[in-house]
Amino acid sequence: MLQPVTSEFIATLTETLGEDILRPADALYLEEPRKRIAGHAGAVVAPRNTQEVSDVLKLCSRYLVGVIPFGGGTGLVGGQIMAADQGPAPLILSLERMNTMRAIYPSENVLVAEAGMTLASIQEEAEKENRLFPLSLASEGSCRIGGNLATNAGGVNVLRYGNTRDLCLGVEAVLADGSVLNNLSRLRKDNTGYDVKNLLIGSEGTLGVITAASLRLSPRPARVGTAVLVVRDPAAALELLGIARDLSGDGVSAFELLSGTGVGFVRDTLPEIYQSFADVPEWSVLVEFGLPAALDPETLLEQLFVQGAEAGLVSDGVIAQSLAQRNQLWSLREHIPAANKKVGAIVSHDISLPLSALAEFIPHGMEKVAEIAPVRVNCFGHLGDGNLHYNVFPPVGETREAWAHVRDDIERLVHDLVHDYGGSFSAEHGIGRMKASELIRYADPTRYRVMKQMKAALDPLGILNPGAVLT
């Protein structure tokens, strides 16, 4: 049974690693972005290197103290936060001081980074060598690559470049007993047994603490084109995606679905943000092409508009004519989560579905939700890879607190529908603690049993992020 952090544990810890290993257990480590969980902790430590992470985990194993790995604190499912009723006060292990780029190999398209580097700083280091690290998230200024790997984060460029898992060649990690896994491979091909790296990626700190990673870079597109196109409905958006792929091959970097509800939220709560159209369209898509020098993205976007209009899919559009206008188009998309927060969601969903099911699911889901309550649905997100953020809000002029009584019913309805359509209730946010019971409900029983066996093998004492992923 796990034990709380004690004065004896702290004394041993500081004797081994020094007083400056500790950090104040302030709100940074005890609150998550949506403030749905208030955390507690016996102490916060910030190791400077992999050896110190190893020393910390050895002590935690000895004293049976639970450890919560902490990156940038931007997770949305409670993986970095433990409430007081979820277990003894844990040790929070922050990777914030391990923020060094260890090496970059431009000719190999590889960058080796410590887990505490922010995503934005990794993007900047790649850009210095005229390379691209394509993972792109709204929280990239504060999220850290160790957390991105631990949750297998997605973002707007998954359509072309894949999830974080697809951008990682190797990892260094510390296991529960303090042993160090040295697997910072820079190889594209390494067929030497089980892929332990991919076991750790997406495990949310429950199987090991990732301390560094070899990351895959890409050439920077020579020419980029961006447009917002008004579409008839989500079915038309999917048809338009097919045309975009036919025109550009693998040149579609992003294809984002925007609902009128979400764009209206930005207009109402953040009036300083540029709006593409005088009247908010019911549905639109943000399309971006990243192309070699020989191809003109604006020409392809014009062709996309013409073909879409001729097919009855598109009725209006704006094609960015400058970098400043491109940034304006993206700013609208990127501020939808902030506008959502200002309005106040009753419940938010991070779901994915087969592309062929999206056109039917979106209106069907809205009809079923409306049968429960007269709420508003902001359905938006990464249409190109099937990932939608399906967020439900109170009627105009009312608060989410007034409708909290329908939260569980709506969440169950949406997740059951997603399951029926062959989708996932967690597309890119992970499981954390908030969705651990959902995993039991929807996961294949054999897969769930295998996951528990993996946990028992790598963390037999159960000290790593207790309560996250597996209850």
Side-chain angles (χ1 to χ4, degrees):
M1 181 178 292
L2 294 181
Q3 303 299 312
V5 172
T6 62
S7 57
E8 179 186 351
F9 173 84
I10 294 295
T12 306
L13 180 72
T14 53
E15 181 181 346
T16 304
L17 296 172
E19 294 282 350
D20 68 344
I21 193 75
L22 295 174
R23 287 285 185 274
D26 56 25
L28 170 67
Y29 306 103
L30 301 178
E31 293 181 357
E32 47 88 30
R34 294 174 178 169
K35 301 187 185 304
R36 290 176 56 189
I37 299 178
H40 75 142
V44 177
V45 296
R48 288 158 288 210
N49 53 54
T50 303
Q51 182 56 55
E52 290 190 349
V53 175
S54 173
D55 292 340
V56 168
L57 290 184
K58 287 176 182 177
L59 283 174
C60 289
S61 294
R62 173 179 162 190
Y63 283 88
L64 289 179
V65 169
V67 182
I68 300 181
F70 192 92
T74 60
L76 297 175
V77 290
Q80 76 279 29
I81 300 287
M82 177 191 283
D85 61 354
Q86 294 175 329
L91 181 74
I92 294 178
L93 192 158
S94 172
L95 281 300
E96 64 195 74
R97 295 169 76 180
M98 295 183 61
N99 57 10
T100 301
M101 183 183 74
R102 293 187 182 176
I104 189 167
Y105 306 90
S107 63
E108 299 179 18
N109 282 324
V110 175
L111 183 151
V112 182
E114 289 187 329
M117 283 191 75
T118 64
L119 176 54
S121 65
I122 291 174
Q123 294 168 341
E124 290 165 4
E125 293 296 336
E127 187 173 2
K128 290 177 184 177
E129 300 293 340
N130 195 31
R131 297 294 186 270
L132 175 71
F133 186 62
L135 183 64
S136 181
L137 310 170
S139 60
E140 59 197 29
S142 53
C143 66
R144 301 180 187 274
I145 193 63
N148 299 149
L149 289 161
T151 58
N152 189 29
V156 297
N157 290 328
V158 171
L159 172 63
R160 181 168 185 175
Y161 297 102
N163 290 311
T164 312
R165 184 188 307 280
D166 303 296
L167 304 175
C168 183
L169 298 170
V171 298
E172 173 190 272
V174 181
L175 304 183
D177 62 0
S179 57
V180 178
L181 174 71
N182 293 295
N183 186 31
L184 282 176
S185 172
R186 309 199 311 267
L187 303 176
R188 262 65 173 181
K189 291 184 176 180
D190 183 4
N191 203 8
T192 52
Y194 300 146
D195 193 343
V196 179
K197 158 184 67 80
N198 273 323
L199 182 61
L200 293 173
I201 296 172
S203 67
E204 302 186 43
T206 62
L207 301 179
V209 178
I210 294 172
T211 51
S214 300
L215 303 171
R216 183 196 301 264
L217 306 179
S218 295
R220 299 188 70 82
R223 306 182 72 178
V224 176
T226 309
V228 173
L229 305 177
V230 177
V231 293
R232 185 187 66 233
D233 52 28
L238 286 165
E239 289 188 54
L240 194 67
L241 173 61
I243 296 173
R245 284 173 157 163
D246 289 342
L247 287 171
S248 68
D250 64 353
V252 184
S253 298
F255 199 92
E256 297 286 298
L257 180 68
L258 311 177
S259 76
T261 300
V263 174
F265 286 170
V266 176
R267 177 200 59 198
D268 296 340
T269 64
L270 300 166
E272 69 277 12
I273 302 302
Y274 171 81
Q275 290 279 334
S276 306
F277 306 99
D279 297 320
V280 173
E282 186 174 358
W283 294 102
S284 57
V285 292
L286 188 153
V287 188
E288 184 156 285
F289 289 150
L291 303 172
L295 296 177
D296 179 9
E298 288 186 20
T299 298
L300 287 187
L301 286 168
E302 289 169 1
Q303 292 175 2
L304 178 63
F305 176 83
V306 169
Q307 292 188 31
E310 290 176 347
L313 310 175
V314 177
S315 60
D316 201 354
V318 173
I319 298 175
Q321 301 299 307
S322 65
L323 176 60
Q325 193 172 17
R326 172 181 179 254
N327 290 340
Q328 285 180 328
L329 298 184
W330 270 110
S331 180
L332 176 61
R333 164 62 182 90
E334 290 167 349
H335 279 88
I336 290 175
N340 284 347
K341 188 173 182 179
K342 285 179 175 290
V343 176
I346 299 169
V347 59
S348 301
H349 307 93
D350 166 46
I351 59 177
S352 64
L353 295 108
L355 290 185
S356 60
L358 284 169
E360 180 180 327
F361 168 83
I362 292 172
H364 181 53
M366 289 181 174
E367 291 171 4
K368 300 301 289 184
V369 167
E371 293 176 5
I372 295 177
V375 292
R376 295 172 289 172
V377 175
N378 179 15
C379 174
F380 71 103
H382 321 306
L383 187 73
D385 57 51
N387 176 195
L388 298 175
H389 300 300
Y390 198 86
N391 301 344
V392 180
F393 297 81
V396 176
E398 301 191 33
T399 66
R400 64 179 176 184
E401 289 77 16
W403 292 86
H405 61 284
V406 300
R407 182 184 189 280
D408 291 345
D409 290 342
I410 291 176
E411 183 171 76
R412 175 62 58 237
L413 166 70
V414 172
H415 287 172
D416 282 351
L417 275 178
V418 168
H419 184 72
D420 292 344
Y421 277 94
S424 169
F425 68 88
S426 179
E428 62 178 359
H429 291 169
I431 300 298
R433 291 175 176 79
M434 293 181 184
K435 295 185 178 181
S437 61
E438 298 294 89
L439 184 62
I440 295 173
R441 179 179 178 90
Y442 296 109
D444 170 73
T446 301
R447 176 172 175 258
Y448 192 79
R449 173 174 56 81
V450 170
M451 289 174 64
K452 295 187 74 171
Q453 290 171 339
M454 291 175 178
K455 173 72 170 175
L458 292 178
D459 182 20
L461 300 176
I463 67 168
L464 289 177
N465 216 0
V469 184
L470 302 172
T471 57

